[in-house]
Amino acid sequence: MSDDEADPELLELLRQHLQGKLNLRNDEPETGVLEDARYVYDNAIDVAIQMRACKDAAAVLHAQMRDKGYSTASWGAHELHPDPAAMHGSSGFRRHGHDGGGEDGGEEVDEDDEESGDAAAVAFVFTMDLLNFSFWSAQKEPERRFAVEYRGKRWTGYWSMVAALWRALDEGIPITDTHFWQDEEACTLEVMRHVFRSCTDEEMPLLAERLACLREAGQVLYEKYQCHPLNLVLAANGSAAGLVNLLAEDFSCFRDEHPFEGRRRPVRILKRAQIFVADLWACFRGERYGAFRDIDKITMFADYRVPQILNSMGCLYYSPPLETAIRAGREIPSGSSWEVQLRACSIWCVELILKEIRQTHPDARVNAILLDFFLYDTIKEMEAAGKETVPHHRTRSIWY
C-alpha cells in the first residue's frame, strides 16, 4: 500500500467510532494515586528526588531482594501475620499452629473450614489495616515507649497493634467482629484501653480515633456489605484499584486525600486503603480473596518510615527548613504542604526505582508493594540494630 492510499482497517475503526459502535474508553478502575504523586513532585519545592541515587538504589534493592528470595511469602512468614490455612475451626481465629497439635493444629481442613478460615483472615486483615496508623512514640528511651507483651515477646510499633489484636482474640474479645464494633456498650474506650494495654507507662496513641474508625466501618459494612469485609472484597470484582476506590468512597476513615497548593481537586494518597489490598494479596499469595488482576496499580504506602529510608539512601532530599524540622523532631501537621510533599514524592520515588529495576532486569518479579514491604522491613532492622542515620518525620494522624 502506498503512502497515498487510505488504510482500510483505520477507515473501518473510524467509521465504527463515528457510528458509536466502538468503545474507546478504558473502563478499568484507576486510583489516581500515581498521577497525583507525579503532580506533587512536579510542583514540590521542599522535597526533591536524586535520580542517580534512585538508579543506585534500584541495583542494591534488586540484588538484596533476589538474594533473600523476597516475595509475598515473606509477608506470611512473620509469626503475627494471619495464615488463612491455619485459621479454620470453630473459633475461626487460629494461626501458625499456635492452637492444637502439629503445624496446623493437626486437623484436616475441609472446604467449609477453608472458607471460614478465609473469612476470618479477611476480617483480621481488614481490622489490622483499619487501625494501622500512628505508632511513633514521643519517648526518647526505647524501653519507655508503648509496647505490647504477647506470648513471651515485647512488640512495638505496628507489630504492637497486631499482637494486641491476637491477644484480644485469645482473651475472648471479638475485636475483628463488626457487630462488636457497633455495640456501644460492649466496645467502649475502656475496652480499647484494655485491648491495646501497654507494658510501659505510655498508652497507644489515638485510641479514641481508633474506636471511631471501628464504629464507622461497622456501620458502613452493616449498611452496604452484609456486615462483613469479605463482601466488600467481592464487590470489587477482582480489581485492586476498584477495591481501593470503594474504600475511599464508602469509608471516610480511608479517604486519605488532601489539598495541595491551591489545586482544584485534592491529592489522593490512600495509604491504608492501598495497604489493605496489598495485605490481602500477600496473605492469600495472590489467590482466592487476594487475586487481583491489576495488583500492579497499587503504589507504595506513603507513611513516615519509607521516606526515612529513601532519604538515608540519598534518593529523597529536603529543603533546609524541612530537614531542620525533621531532625529537630518537630511535629509536621497532617495535610500541610510539607507533609503532602514528603508522602507524594516518596510514592513517585519508589515508582522511579521500580521502573529502573524493570528496565535493567525485565524478568524481575517485583512491584511497588514488595518494594515497600522490603524498604519498611529494612528500616525497622536498622532501627533495631541502632543504625538509623536520619530520623523519620513526625505527623500524628489516622492516615498512617
Side-chain angles (χ1 to χ4, degrees):
M1 184 176 69
S2 71
D3 292 340
D4 295 332
E5 296 177 12
D7 186 329
E9 292 184 7
L10 287 177
L11 283 175
E12 179 58 25
L13 286 173
L14 179 60
R15 187 177 298 111
Q16 290 183 36
H17 177 56
L18 292 174
Q19 293 174 351
K21 296 178 181 179
L22 183 64
N23 181 13
L24 296 177
R25 295 185 306 126
N26 178 11
D27 290 328
E28 282 291 292
E30 300 288 342
T31 68
V33 172
L34 195 57
E35 174 190 346
D36 288 359
R38 175 63 189 266
Y39 175 87
V40 173
Y41 167 69
D42 286 342
N43 292 275
I45 59 174
D46 291 289
V47 182
I49 295 175
Q50 222 297 327
M51 298 301 177
R52 180 68 258 174
C54 287
K55 287 180 176 291
D56 295 341
V60 171
L61 291 169
H62 172 261
Q64 291 178 345
M65 294 175 76
R66 180 199 59 211
D67 293 346
K68 292 184 177 182
Y70 205 81
S71 68
T72 55
S74 306
W75 186 98
H78 195 283
E79 64 185 280
L80 290 183
H81 272 154
D83 176 6
M87 294 176 73
H88 63 89
S90 57
S91 70
F93 296 118
R94 301 183 182 179
R95 75 223 182 270
H96 296 305
H98 284 318
D99 298 288
E103 181 101 347
D104 61 359
E107 302 170 28
E108 184 177 345
V109 183
D110 62 24
E111 290 184 8
D112 290 339
D113 278 341
E114 181 178 20
E115 193 62 30
S116 70
D118 285 358
V122 171
F124 191 94
V125 172
F126 184 79
T127 308
M128 191 174 75
D129 289 324
L130 190 59
L131 303 176
N132 185 0
F133 55 84
S134 199
F135 303 111
W136 60 269
S137 171
Q139 299 291 340
K140 293 183 179 179
E141 299 85 358
E143 65 275 7
R144 294 182 61 189
R145 67 178 297 189
F146 170 83
V148 166
E149 285 187 354
Y150 181 62
R151 295 190 177 271
K153 294 184 180 179
R154 176 178 285 209
W155 304 94
T156 60
Y158 161 76
W159 294 116
S160 68
M161 180 268 297
V162 184
L165 295 180
W166 286 122
R167 182 176 64 183
L169 293 173
D170 288 351
E171 294 173 348
I173 301 171
I175 192 63
T176 61
D177 188 331
T178 63
H179 298 89
F180 176 70
W181 303 344
Q182 294 181 78
D183 189 337
E184 296 186 9
E185 294 184 0
C187 187
T188 64
L189 190 56
E190 282 307 308
V191 169
M192 292 288 284
R193 288 195 176 98
H194 174 76
V195 168
F196 296 104
R197 64 190 181 275
S198 176
C199 57
T200 71
D201 292 334
E202 186 179 32
E203 186 178 78
M204 178 178 276
L206 304 183
L207 279 177
E209 288 79 0
R210 294 179 203 277
L211 177 58
C213 288
L214 292 178
R215 286 267 196 272
E216 186 211 355
Q219 186 64 30
V220 172
L221 290 171
Y222 170 78
E223 292 174 353
K224 295 189 174 185
Y225 299 104
Q226 297 80 51
C227 297
H228 204 290
L230 199 64
N231 297 311
L232 168 67
V233 176
L234 293 173
N237 294 317
S239 170
L243 183 50
V244 169
N245 290 342
L246 282 177
L247 287 162
E249 179 180 340
D250 291 342
F251 302 80
S252 65
C253 62
F254 278 107
R255 202 171 301 138
D256 178 13
E257 48 189 38
H258 311 277
F260 178 70
E261 303 295 349
R263 189 177 188 228
R264 295 186 66 179
R265 65 176 179 83
V267 168
R268 305 190 98 202
I269 296 179
L270 305 179
K271 186 262 187 181
R272 288 191 298 109
Q274 290 201 100
I275 206 169
F276 173 58
V277 176
D279 283 347
L280 282 179
W281 176 69
C283 182
F284 288 94
R285 307 282 185 90
E287 299 177 352
R288 305 195 305 282
Y289 298 109
F292 299 102
R293 62 182 176 274
D294 55 350
I295 192 63
D296 286 351
K297 289 183 179 179
I298 302 300
T299 71
M300 64 80 75
F301 318 113
D303 59 1
Y304 47 88
R305 283 302 190 179
V306 176
Q308 178 188 18
I309 192 169
L310 291 174
N311 178 243
S312 69
M313 296 175 77
C315 300
L316 281 187
Y317 59 98
Y318 309 142
S319 67
L322 176 56
E323 181 163 358
T324 299
I326 292 174
R327 289 189 176 275
R330 295 207 299 268
E331 193 165 331
I332 297 174
S334 177
S336 65
S337 179
W338 275 359
E339 195 237 10
V340 173
Q341 289 180 62
L342 281 164
R343 299 181 73 201
C345 289
S346 296
I347 293 172
W348 192 245
C349 184
V350 169
E351 197 65 23
L352 293 175
I353 293 171
L354 177 62
K355 182 179 179 181
E356 178 67 19
I357 291 175
R358 286 173 170 170
Q359 285 182 342
T360 310
H361 306 279
D363 296 331
R365 300 183 66 180
V366 63
N367 58 18
I369 297 171
L370 291 176
L371 263 180
D372 180 284
F373 286 169
F374 187 78
L375 287 167
Y376 178 87
D377 289 348
T378 302
I379 193 63
K380 293 300 288 183
E381 289 171 4
M382 291 171 63
E383 178 190 36
K387 295 181 179 179
E388 289 176 295
T389 57
V390 294
H392 63 74
H393 75 274
R394 297 187 172 203
T395 297
R396 190 70 80 190
S397 78
I398 71 166
W399 307 121
Y400 61 99

